[in-house]
């Protein structure tokens, strides 16, 4: 039963006492899934313009709408108080948010207290040379780096503004700092589909897992998504002709399914939102940098947390809003590429919710 229903008919004094106790109950959705993983987009801005993620002339949010670092800290900490054990900072590009290390440093107190198991981030790697050692010193143990190609020209074409050399230097710095890295590569038809063996051997040769991701239909990006879509079932079948893929039970806390590549000894993950339903074990919710809570990456339904966050210094209103939102977490997602209209199934961009 939700705290609000539980407390509705209680006398005033008992109500207040009960509030603080019940607010600390873990978050469980209507399908019995515990919410233990929060992804937080700390900015919608980015120093790249990946073709599948953003249009080149993106309009970013006015700064006034974006939560301050203190507000982001309070929001994350509220979720930690309610049972979230893993926090992933993402974006946009999380490492271009000014003062980001202040947030990482402050959130690391939950690692020290034992309330949080993991503080991590997803990054394009461009700022890792600058921040890798600091991230490690604040208790970050592993990070995801997005890299779709090892070809400098292709890299520039995919990211529009990025430099492969800078990202590779960032990966070196992160490994040097002792951070474990997982590489994420989006599979793009006719762009990097000839490169997967090279990416596998490079990543595994450096002790990094590699996960391939299907393009998801999020946001208008000014190019036909159907032209980019490459089902991973096809990729996997092709890779299986070349390598021995042994299915693994290993889960990284996200939706990827893993296989061991016998020839390299490394792990290869597949995230297939369009061809495989991974919703039944979903333990995640996402918050945008404006404080909008999305209960499912593939649904439009959302709850605004900025207002309750700013309305008072106490967390009571915020907890009520979070509870109401979690009680609406849907069973599954609705991803479809609209073939007739060649439109994305959802209008928001991945850089809003951070993947
Ligand atoms: N800027 C950071 C980065 O690139 O890692 C973090 C944010 S980015 C939105 C998170 C992940 O989403 C990246 O791995 C990116 O490749 C992936 N991504 C972005 N748009 C996507 C789309 N339409 N379909 C599938 N993956 C997408
Ligand atoms: Fe930026 Fe990441 Fe989107 Fe690329 S995928 S444009 S790096 S937010």
């Amino acid at each position: 039963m939700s705290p609000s229903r539980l407390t509705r008919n209680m006398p005033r004094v008992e109500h207040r006492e009960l509030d603080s106790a019940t607010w600390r109950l873990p978050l469980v959705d209507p399908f019995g899934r515990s919410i233990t993983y929060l992804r937080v987009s700390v900015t919608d801005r980015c120093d790249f313009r990946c073709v599948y993620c953003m249009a080149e002339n993106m309009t970013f949010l006015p700064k006034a709408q974006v939560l301050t670092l203190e507000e982001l800290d309070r929001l994350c900490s509220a979720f930690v108080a309610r049972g979230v054990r893993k926090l992933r900072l993402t974006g946009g590009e999380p490492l271009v948010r000014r003062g980001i290390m202040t947030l990482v440093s402050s959130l690391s107190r939950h690692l020290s207290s034992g309330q949080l198991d993991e503080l991590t981030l997803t990054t394009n790697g461009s700022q890792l040379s600058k921040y890798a050692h600091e991230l490690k010193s604040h208790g970050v143990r592993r990070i995801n780096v997005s890299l779709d190609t090892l070809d400098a020209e292709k890299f520039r074409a995919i990211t529009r503004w990025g430099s492969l050399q800078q990202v590779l230097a960032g990966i070196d710095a992160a490994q040097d700092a002792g951070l474990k890295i997982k590489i994420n590569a989006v599979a793009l038809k006719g762009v990097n589909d000839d490169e997967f063996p090279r990416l596998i051997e490079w990543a595994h040769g450096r002790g990094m897992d590699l996960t391939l991701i299907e393009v998801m239909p999020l946001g208008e990006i000014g190019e036909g998504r159907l032209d980019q879509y490459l089902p991973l079932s096809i990729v996997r079948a092709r890779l299986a002709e070349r390598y021995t893929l042994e299915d693994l039970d290993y889960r990284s806390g996200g939706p990827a399914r893993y296989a061991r590549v016998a020839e390299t000894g490394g792990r290869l993950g597949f995230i297939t939102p369009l061809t495989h339903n991974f919703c039944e074990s979903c333990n995640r919710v996402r918050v945008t940098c404006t404080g909008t809570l999305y209960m499912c990456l593939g649904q439009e339904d959302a709850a605004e947390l900025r207002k309750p966050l700013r309305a008072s210094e106490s967390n009571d209103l915020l907890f009520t809003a979070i509870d109401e939102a979690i009680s609406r977490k849907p069973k599954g997602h609705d991803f479809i590429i609209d073939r007739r209209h060649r439109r994305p199934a959802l209008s928001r961009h991945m850089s809003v919710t951070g993947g």
Side-chain angles (χ1 to χ4, degrees), residues 27-29 31-39 86 249-258 270-272 276-286 295-296 329-333:
L27 300 168
V28 180
D29 80 359
F31 305 96
R33 297 169 297 190
S34 294
I35 308 306
T36 54
Y37 183 177
L38 176 69
R39 296 189 176 210
K86 176 168 173 177
D249 285 335
Y250 171 81
R251 301 298 295 265
S252 60
R257 312 270 155 170
Y258 284 90
F270 297 90
I271 299 186
T272 56
H276 190 106
N277 198 322
F278 53 72
C279 303
E280 70 282 353
S281 58
C282 180
N283 59 351
R284 297 172 288 287
V285 290
R286 298 170 164 82
M295 286 72 86
C296 171
K329 183 166 161 66
K331 195 168 178 196
H333 67 64

Side-chain angles (χ1 to χ4, degrees), residues 41-45 58-68 71 97 288-292 306 310 352:
S41 175
V42 298
T43 176
D44 64 329
R45 288 161 200 259
M58 284 289 284
T59 316
F60 293 109
L61 293 162
K63 285 218 169 98
Q65 285 183 24
V66 175
L67 299 183
T68 64
E71 287 169 335
R97 171 87 199 240
T288 69
C289 59
T290 58
T292 305
R306 188 176 54 188
R310 288 185 174 168
V352 173

Side-chain angles (χ1 to χ4, degrees), residues 43-54 58 90-94 122-125 146 148 158-160 186 350-352 354:
T43 176
D44 64 329
R45 288 161 200 259
C46 187
D47 51 345
F48 292 3
R49 290 289 181 279
C50 301
V51 290
Y52 47 76
C53 179
M54 292 189 184
M58 284 289 284
T90 173
E93 173 47 43
T122 301
T123 172
N124 65 23
S146 307
D148 306 326
I158 295 171
T159 62
R160 291 198 187 101
V186 176
M350 190 68 130
S351 52
V352 173

